Amino acid sequence: EKGERARITWLACDLCDKWRRVGLAKSSAVPDRWTCAENGDARYASCDVPQELPDDEIDRLLGLADTPDKPCPAAAAAVARPADGVPGRGASLGEVLEGLVAASDASPEEARAVQWHLANLEYGCAASLGNVSLAWWDQDDEHTLAGDHAVVSDGFGRVVEGLAAYSEVLLQREVSLVEHGDWGARVHTKAGGEGLVADAVLVTVPLGVLKAKTVKFAPPLPRWKRSAIERLGFGPIEKVILSFERPFWDGGADFFGCLPPAAETAAEAAKARGEFFMFWNLQRSHGTAALMCVSSGAFAEGTWRHLSYKRVVDSSLAVLGRTFGPQVRQLFRKSVVTDWGRNPFCRGSYSYVGVDASGAEYDELARPVGGRLFFAGEATNGQHPATATGAYLSGLREAQRIDQAGRRGFPPAEP
């Protein structure tokens, strides 16, 4: 199916009943019948070869069984949060994947390649995999839109400018307090004064800003709304754009990756694997000799925040230099560096399902508070979270909701 993700897959042989690891496969591609002889891994392509791991070890790595010292995370979460009605909380995707990596006998080069793919998965989640829910990390997969990805070559500012043509947009108005009630709403800014009075307010600040509580609400947000804000995750993806005198990479590729260096421990590998692991070719999309270098995971969350602008650029050039040699620095001209994690108006890039969350939190974030306070943004769209598409569609959803409420005189909502 379109948009379906490949997963680490184990198959049982129809002849000997032994379980074999067959690598990444989509569920739609799993055969009804399968034997060891069909295994692409020659080491386990015979029924005479013992199973790679015991059944209980495979179940443990996949988070499907109890162990003497640790109950199944899914079962524990179901007991800990019975009122939520959502099983599978409490286990992280990283715990399982790191366990599988540790149990493998991959060569050093294969291990580096695996770390690259884990960094790419952290790119999709905007978080270290240890912070992401095992049960719900891909809860939006069934809603994936068909078609190719596209680059907005002139930037998303064009979209904002087009929408702003139909509205009055006030700049330099940092919101500090939102008052709301049956009487209407009032938005206060740090500039002071009596504030802006309206029939209703639509809150579209990023989830990171709601988590930071830099915008206050009177009356305060209800407990169910605060709980959803706390449980959903929100993390940074950081980028550096490097401009060069001329391209030295394959101009026909949309992007390419650079493997991380070998690490002594799993902790070191997890910390470093997201350091400029992917490079988007802006020559192909924008017609300019430049690369957009992407960082994810623990590097974007932690290490990045302690680096100066110059050290960030030096680090990205060093990663490229490991593959392309001294020409990288010789051809380098200028750079642009993001800092979404520390930007007070973002505090990250996009949302993910935290270990103690599920897709239900997206719906809770989308629910209005009272009859005058509404919410939009990618973190309120459980079908298309972490995307510009999801943010835009949530705006259309709330415009319709506010219009309908206004036609009915903004009746108070149920608590």
Side-chain angles (χ1 to χ4, degrees):
E1 295 182 4
K2 292 181 178 179
E4 182 186 6
R5 285 193 179 125
R7 304 170 183 274
I8 295 175
T9 304
W10 293 73
L11 296 178
C13 175
D14 290 320
L15 298 179
C16 66
D17 288 331
K18 293 186 178 76
W19 285 92
R20 305 298 194 193
R21 192 202 316 255
V22 296
L24 294 173
K26 295 182 178 181
S27 58
S28 59
V30 173
D32 294 328
R33 296 186 60 80
W34 185 85
T35 65
C36 292
E38 300 172 69
N39 196 348
D41 187 342
R43 297 171 300 171
Y44 300 100
S46 169
C47 292
D48 297 330
V49 179
Q51 189 167 290
E52 180 182 358
L53 297 171
D55 288 349
D56 57 352
E57 180 68 7
I58 295 173
D59 287 344
R60 186 189 69 80
L61 290 172
L62 294 176
L64 300 176
D66 291 340
T67 61
D69 59 343
K70 184 177 181 181
C72 171
V79 173
R81 297 182 179 272
D84 290 344
V86 180
R89 289 182 175 173
S92 76
L93 179 62
E95 179 183 3
V96 172
L97 293 181
E98 298 291 359
L100 291 171
V101 171
S104 72
D105 54 356
S107 68
E109 282 301 298
E110 289 172 336
R112 292 173 65 200
V114 169
Q115 292 298 328
W116 187 93
H117 283 286
L118 293 180
N120 191 37
L121 187 54
E122 290 175 327
Y123 180 19
C125 296
S128 298
L129 297 180
N131 297 329
V132 180
S133 168
L134 169 65
W136 296 98
W137 71 278
D138 59 350
Q139 58 86 36
D140 58 304
D141 266 12
E142 62 181 297
H143 304 288
T144 300
L145 298 173
D148 295 332
H149 289 281
V151 174
V152 183
S153 59
D154 292 326
F156 279 109
R158 295 292 297 275
V159 178
V160 176
E161 291 167 4
L163 295 173
Y166 300 92
S167 307
E168 181 184 4
V169 178
L170 302 179
L171 302 177
Q172 304 298 320
R173 303 289 201 280
E174 185 177 348
V175 175
S176 57
L177 172 68
V178 177
E179 295 182 286
H180 59 99
D182 294 342
W183 51 270
R186 186 188 300 270
V187 177
H188 297 268
T189 70
K190 290 188 175 180
E194 296 182 356
L196 306 172
V197 177
D199 292 325
V201 172
L202 176 59
V203 178
T204 63
V205 298
L207 176 59
V209 175
L210 291 176
K211 283 179 169 292
K213 301 177 183 178
T214 53
V215 177
K216 308 298 182 184
F217 295 88
L221 296 177
R223 183 179 60 81
W224 57 265
K225 178 72 78 173
R226 299 197 308 270
S227 178
I229 292 170
E230 292 169 1
R231 290 203 296 256
L232 270 184
F234 194 76
I237 296 297
E238 301 294 2
K239 303 172 182 177
V240 176
I241 295 178
L242 301 175
S243 177
F244 298 92
E245 182 179 328
R246 59 173 174 79
F248 49 82
W249 58 90
D250 179 4
D254 288 330
F255 65 90
F256 61 87
C258 289
L259 296 183
E264 294 293 331
T265 66
E268 290 178 359
K271 183 178 180 180
R273 65 187 173 217
E275 180 181 0
F276 305 113
F277 73 100
M278 180 181 289
F279 298 81
W280 286 91
N281 178 16
L282 301 187
Q283 175 72 33
R284 182 171 171 80
S285 59
H286 292 70
T288 183
L291 294 171
M292 183 174 71
C293 323
V294 180
S295 289
S296 66
F299 184 82
E301 291 172 346
T303 306
W304 186 284
R305 301 191 180 198
H306 304 292
L307 298 179
S308 65
Y309 185 110
K310 184 179 185 301
R311 287 188 64 192
V312 167
V313 174
D314 284 344
S315 177
S316 62
L317 292 172
V319 172
L320 281 171
R322 291 202 303 263
T323 299
F324 295 100
Q327 64 178 329
V328 172
R329 292 187 182 274
Q330 294 167 0
L331 297 174
F332 171 65
R333 290 296 174 264
K334 56 184 177 180
S335 61
V336 177
V337 177
T338 70
D339 199 0
W340 298 115
R342 288 185 292 193
N343 185 317
F345 304 116
C346 300
R347 299 180 183 269
S349 299
Y350 43 85
S351 64
Y352 63 90
V353 183
V355 171
D356 293 322
S358 74
E361 276 76 17
Y362 287 113
D363 297 332
E364 293 291 86
L365 276 180
R367 280 177 56 191
V369 172
R372 307 279 184 161
L373 188 59
F374 301 84
F375 293 81
E378 57 84 16
T380 72
N381 191 327
Q383 289 73 43
H384 308 289
T387 66
T389 299
Y392 181 80
L393 292 177
S394 76
L396 298 180
R397 178 197 68 213
E398 294 308 305
Q400 182 179 33
R401 191 180 340 233
I402 293 171
D403 178 67
Q404 292 175 346
R407 292 173 185 272
R408 301 194 307 272
F410 290 100
E414 295 182 4

